[in-house]
Amino acid sequence: MEFRFTGTGDSAQVPRFGCGCAACTRARVFTSLQRGPCSAEVRGDGKRYLLDAGRMDLALSCEIERPAAFLITHYHADHVQGLFHLRWGSGESIPVYGPKDPHGCADLHRNPGVLDFQPGLKPFKPIKLDSLTVTPVPLKHSKPTLGYCLDDGGTRLAYLTDTFGLPVETERFLNSWQPDVVVLDACHPASYLTPRNHNTITQALDIITRLNPPRAYLTHISHDLDAECLVKPPDLPLKVRIAKDGDTLADWSRTH
């Protein structure tokens, strides 16, 4: 499976506007350490599928290579804001899959332009995108939110961002499905006392321990977690790493 992280940050991104913490200061100097809105891309059958659409340079990216479809986890602005510019484009329509959410985000559903919004996906009911099988799974967030279990016949990857823990039925499904790779929300540092819609890194590592995949990535990273890691790097299992913008699955094999 060809998979690339196109963004690994939270809604504030890194650097966070106006912040002078060590992580934000460092990211202003070293652009490779910046984090855009959480998103990813998957390639299969010569086509490009995009997981979420929060990047503000999305239209430019899609002009270079038009995506075959979008898989939207939920309709918070940092996951769909790039669609607002893209929808007024020209050419063939682009299918958009996501959770059933009658409110969506602003007027995206009422004025879709080239975006072809599909009926809301049903949890645990797979859809086929050529040779890629996509199984949506429910997550725990402040809006209807789905994770995506992707299977191209060679690799199984579970993309689970914007969640606080996992619903019992989702964890049960994942234990049965046995992903090769888990990508999991780990927004907050271990010291964060009031998590609500996102995991702390400690909670994320506990989930990964229970699922026990061969490898796992942490994403939706806040500047607070980056700053804490600078002071005290986390003791991560060998099979777990904190993702960076631009990372691919192939990078893992080159560094392990």
Side-chain angles (χ1 to χ4, degrees):
M1 180 181 295
E2 292 185 55
F3 179 93
R4 184 170 73 93
F5 291 91
T6 53
T8 57
D10 64 354
S11 59
Q13 305 175 56
V14 181
R16 181 178 179 177
F17 177 72
C19 181
C21 77
C24 290
T25 300
R26 182 185 63 162
R28 291 188 182 98
V29 177
F30 301 103
T31 56
S32 63
L33 299 175
Q34 294 181 359
R35 298 187 184 276
C38 195
S39 54
E41 68 177 18
V42 182
R43 294 180 181 275
D45 304 301
K47 297 179 181 179
R48 177 182 181 229
Y49 302 96
L50 298 185
L51 290 153
D52 282 332
R55 293 192 64 95
M56 295 306 289
D57 59 357
L58 184 67
L60 174 60
S61 163
C62 292
E63 278 196 337
I64 295 170
E65 184 178 2
R66 199 177 188 92
F70 286 98
L71 294 166
I72 301 299
T73 59
H74 66 296
Y75 286 94
H76 275 150
D78 58 313
H79 291 259
V80 295
Q81 59 197 357
L83 295 178
F84 283 87
H85 180 197
L86 184 70
R87 63 178 170 167
W88 301 125
S90 304
E92 293 183 11
S93 62
I94 305 172
V96 182
Y97 299 91
K100 185 176 181 180
D101 184 348
H103 300 292
C105 183
D107 66 346
L108 270 175
H109 287 161
R110 293 193 300 274
N111 296 286
V114 301
L115 303 175
D116 183 13
F117 286 94
Q118 304 295 302
L121 296 176
K122 296 180 179 180
F124 307 111
K125 184 176 182 179
I127 61 171
K128 289 285 288 185
L129 299 175
D130 293 306
S131 64
L132 184 67
T133 301
V134 180
T135 304
V137 294
L139 300 178
K140 296 172 67 174
H141 198 49
S142 56
K143 282 180 77 69
T145 303
L146 295 173
Y148 291 105
C149 295
L150 312 174
D151 185 352
D152 67 351
T155 301
R156 288 184 167 185
L157 183 147
Y159 189 77
L160 312 168
T161 188
D162 286 66
T163 191
F164 176 51
L166 290 176
V168 172
E169 64 273 24
T170 294
E171 188 161 337
R172 185 183 302 120
F173 171 83
L174 290 167
N175 277 312
S176 173
W177 192 65
Q178 296 187 326
D180 303 297
V181 184
V182 168
V183 178
L184 182 62
D185 182 306
C187 188
H188 301 301
S191 60
Y192 195 78
L193 298 179
T194 57
R196 200 158 49 103
N197 290 317
H198 301 276
N199 295 320
T200 66
I201 188 171
T202 304
Q203 292 168 321
L205 291 174
D206 286 345
I207 292 170
I208 289 167
T209 297
R210 295 197 301 272
L211 297 178
N212 195 30
R215 52 179 161 156
Y217 295 85
L218 307 179
T219 192
H220 206 285
I221 307 300
S222 68
H223 77 125
D224 290 322
L225 177 54
D226 273 345
E228 186 168 285
C229 289
L230 283 174
V231 176
K232 185 181 179 182
D235 184 18
L236 298 179
L238 288 176
K239 66 180 181 180
V240 180
R241 65 170 52 176
I242 297 175
K244 296 187 298 183
D245 288 22
D247 277 354
T248 70
L249 295 188
D251 293 333
W252 186 292
S253 60
R254 287 195 288 267
T255 57
H256 280 70

